[in-house]
Coordinates of all heavy atoms in Angstrom, one line a residue:
G35 N -25.6 -127.2 113.4 CA -25.3 -128.7 113.7 C -24.8 -129.3 112.4 O -23.8 -130.1 112.5
A36 N -25.3 -128.9 111.3 CA -24.8 -129.3 110.0 C -23.3 -128.9 109.8 O -22.5 -129.7 109.2 CB -25.7 -128.9 108.9
L39 N -21.2 -131.0 112.0 CA -21.0 -132.4 111.6 C -20.0 -132.6 110.4 O -19.2 -133.4 110.3 CB -22.3 -132.9 111.2 CG -22.5 -134.3 110.7 CD1 -22.1 -135.3 111.7 CD2 -23.9 -134.6 110.0
S43 N -16.7 -134.6 110.5 CA -16.8 -135.9 109.8 C -16.8 -136.0 108.3 O -16.7 -137.0 107.6 CB -18.0 -136.7 110.3 OG -19.1 -136.0 109.9
V45 N -19.3 -135.4 106.7 CA -20.7 -135.7 106.2 C -21.6 -134.5 106.1 O -21.7 -133.6 106.9 CB -21.4 -136.7 107.2 CG1 -22.8 -136.9 106.9 CG2 -20.6 -137.9 107.3
I46 N -22.3 -134.4 104.9 CA -23.1 -133.4 104.6 C -24.6 -134.1 104.6 O -24.8 -134.9 103.9 CB -22.9 -132.7 103.2 CG1 -21.5 -132.1 103.1 CG2 -24.1 -131.7 102.9 CD1 -21.1 -131.7 101.6
P47 N -25.4 -133.5 105.6 CA -26.9 -134.2 105.5 C -27.5 -134.1 104.1 O -27.4 -133.0 103.5 CB -27.6 -133.3 106.5 CG -26.5 -132.6 107.3 CD -25.4 -132.4 106.4
G48 N -28.0 -135.2 103.8 CA -28.7 -135.3 102.4 C -30.1 -135.8 102.6 O -30.4 -136.6 103.3
L49 N -31.0 -134.9 102.0 CA -32.4 -135.4 102.0 C -33.0 -135.5 100.5 O -32.8 -134.7 99.6 CB -33.2 -134.2 102.6 CG -34.7 -134.2 102.6 CD1 -35.2 -135.2 103.6 CD2 -35.3 -132.8 103.1
F76 N -27.6 -128.4 103.6 CA -27.8 -129.8 103.3 C -27.8 -130.0 101.7 O -28.0 -129.1 101.0 CB -29.3 -130.3 103.6 CG -29.5 -130.4 105.1 CD1 -28.8 -129.8 106.1 CD2 -30.7 -131.2 105.5 CE1 -29.0 -129.9 107.5 CE2 -31.0 -131.1 106.9 CZ -30.2 -130.6 107.8
P103 N -25.2 -143.7 100.0 CA -24.6 -143.3 101.2 C -24.7 -141.8 101.6 O -24.8 -141.3 102.6 CB -23.1 -143.7 101.1 CG -22.8 -144.0 99.8 CD -24.2 -144.3 99.1
E104 N -24.9 -141.0 100.5 CA -25.0 -139.5 100.6 C -26.5 -139.1 101.0 O -26.8 -138.0 101.3 CB -24.6 -138.8 99.4 CG -25.5 -139.0 98.1 CD -25.3 -140.2 97.4 OE1 -24.7 -141.2 97.8 OE2 -25.9 -140.4 96.2
V105 N -27.4 -140.1 100.9 CA -28.9 -139.9 101.3 C -29.1 -140.4 102.7 O -28.9 -141.5 103.0 CB -29.9 -140.5 100.4 CG1 -31.2 -140.3 100.8 CG2 -29.5 -139.9 98.8
H106 N -29.3 -139.3 103.6 CA -29.6 -139.8 105.0 C -31.1 -139.8 105.3 O -31.5 -140.4 106.3 CB -28.9 -138.8 105.9 CG -27.4 -138.7 105.6 ND1 -26.9 -137.7 104.9 CD2 -26.5 -139.6 105.8 CE1 -25.6 -137.9 104.8 NE2 -25.4 -139.0 105.4
G107 N -31.9 -139.0 104.6 CA -33.3 -138.9 104.8 C -34.0 -139.2 103.5 O -33.6 -138.6 102.5
E130 N -34.0 -146.1 109.3 CA -32.9 -145.2 109.6 C -33.1 -144.0 108.8 O -32.6 -142.9 109.2 CB -31.6 -145.8 109.5 CG -31.4 -146.9 110.3 CD -31.7 -148.3 109.8 OE1 -32.4 -148.2 108.6 OE2 -31.3 -149.3 110.1
K131 N -33.7 -144.0 107.6 CA -33.8 -143.0 106.7 C -35.1 -142.3 106.7 O -35.3 -141.3 105.9 CB -33.3 -143.3 105.3 CG -31.8 -143.8 105.2 CD -31.3 -143.9 103.8 CE -29.9 -144.3 103.7 NZ -29.2 -144.2 102.3
V133 N -37.4 -140.0 107.6 CA -37.3 -138.7 108.4 C -38.7 -138.1 108.5 O -38.8 -137.2 109.3 CB -36.4 -137.7 107.7 CG1 -35.0 -137.9 107.9 CG2 -36.7 -137.5 106.2
L284 N -36.0 -131.0 108.9 CA -34.5 -130.8 108.8 C -33.8 -131.3 110.1 O -32.7 -131.9 110.0 CB -34.2 -129.2 108.8 CG -34.8 -128.5 107.5 CD1 -34.3 -127.1 107.5 CD2 -34.2 -129.2 106.2
R285 N -34.5 -131.1 111.2 CA -33.8 -131.8 112.5 C -33.8 -133.3 112.4 O -32.7 -133.8 112.7 CB -34.6 -131.2 113.6 CG -33.9 -131.7 115.0 CD -34.8 -131.4 116.2 NE -34.7 -130.1 116.6 CZ -35.4 -129.6 117.6 NH1 -36.3 -130.3 118.3 NH2 -35.3 -128.3 118.1
N286 N -34.8 -133.8 111.9 CA -34.8 -135.2 111.8 C -33.7 -135.8 110.9 O -33.1 -136.7 110.9 CB -36.2 -135.7 111.3 CG -37.2 -136.0 112.4 OD1 -36.9 -135.7 113.5 ND2 -38.5 -136.2 112.0
T287 N -33.6 -135.0 109.7 CA -32.5 -135.3 108.7 C -31.0 -135.2 109.3 O -30.2 -136.0 109.1 CB -32.7 -134.5 107.4 OG1 -34.1 -134.6 107.0 CG2 -31.7 -134.9 106.3
L288 N -30.8 -134.1 110.0 CA -29.6 -133.9 110.6 C -29.3 -135.1 111.6 O -28.3 -135.6 111.7 CB -29.5 -132.6 111.4 CG -28.3 -132.4 112.3 CD1 -26.9 -132.2 111.4 CD2 -28.5 -131.1 113.1
D289 N -30.4 -135.5 112.5 CA -30.2 -136.5 113.4 C -29.8 -138.0 112.6 O -28.9 -138.6 113.1 CB -31.4 -136.9 114.1 CG -31.7 -135.7 115.2 OD1 -30.9 -135.0 115.6 OD2 -32.9 -135.7 115.7
A290 N -30.5 -138.2 111.4 CA -30.1 -139.3 110.7 C -28.7 -139.2 110.1 O -27.9 -140.2 110.1 CB -31.2 -139.4 109.5
A291 N -28.3 -138.0 109.7 CA -26.9 -137.9 109.2 C -25.9 -138.1 110.3 O -24.9 -138.8 110.1 CB -26.8 -136.4 108.5
R292 N -26.2 -137.6 111.5 CA -25.4 -137.9 112.6 C -25.2 -139.3 112.9 O -24.1 -139.8 113.3 CB -25.9 -137.1 113.9 CG -25.6 -135.7 113.8 CD -26.3 -135.0 115.0 NE -25.9 -133.6 115.2 CZ -26.7 -132.7 115.8 NH1 -27.9 -133.1 116.3 NH2 -26.3 -131.5 116.0
R293 N -26.3 -140.0 112.9 CA -26.2 -141.5 113.2 C -25.4 -142.2 112.1 O -24.6 -143.0 112.4 CB -27.7 -142.2 113.2 CG -28.5 -141.8 114.4 CD -29.7 -142.7 114.5 NE -30.6 -142.6 113.3 CZ -31.6 -141.7 113.3 NH1 -31.8 -140.9 114.2 NH2 -32.3 -141.7 112.1
A294 N -25.6 -141.7 110.9 CA -24.8 -142.4 109.8 C -23.4 -142.1 109.9 O -22.5 -143.0 109.7 CB -25.3 -141.8 108.4
A295 N -22.9 -140.9 110.4 CA -21.6 -140.6 110.4 C -20.9 -141.4 111.7 O -19.7 -141.6 111.6 CB -21.5 -139.0 110.8
R296 N -21.7 -141.7 112.6 CA -21.2 -142.5 113.8 C -21.1 -144.0 113.3 O -20.2 -144.7 114.0 CB -22.2 -142.4 115.1 CG -21.9 -141.2 115.8 CD -22.7 -141.4 117.2 NE -24.0 -141.7 117.1 CZ -25.0 -140.8 117.2 NH1 -24.6 -139.5 117.3 NH2 -26.3 -141.0 117.1
A297 N -21.9 -144.4 112.4 CA -21.9 -145.8 112.1 C -20.6 -146.3 111.4 O -19.9 -145.5 110.8 CB -23.1 -146.2 111.2

Side-chain angles (χ1 to χ4, degrees):
L39 179 66
S43 65
V45 170
I46 302 170
L49 173 66
F76 292 12
E104 70 280 13
V105 175
H106 307 102
E130 299 86 347
K131 297 192 177 190
V133 283
L284 298 181
R285 187 188 276 178
N286 280 351
T287 306
L288 175 63
D289 287 344
R292 283 175 170 153
R293 284 194 302 271
R296 277 198 301 269

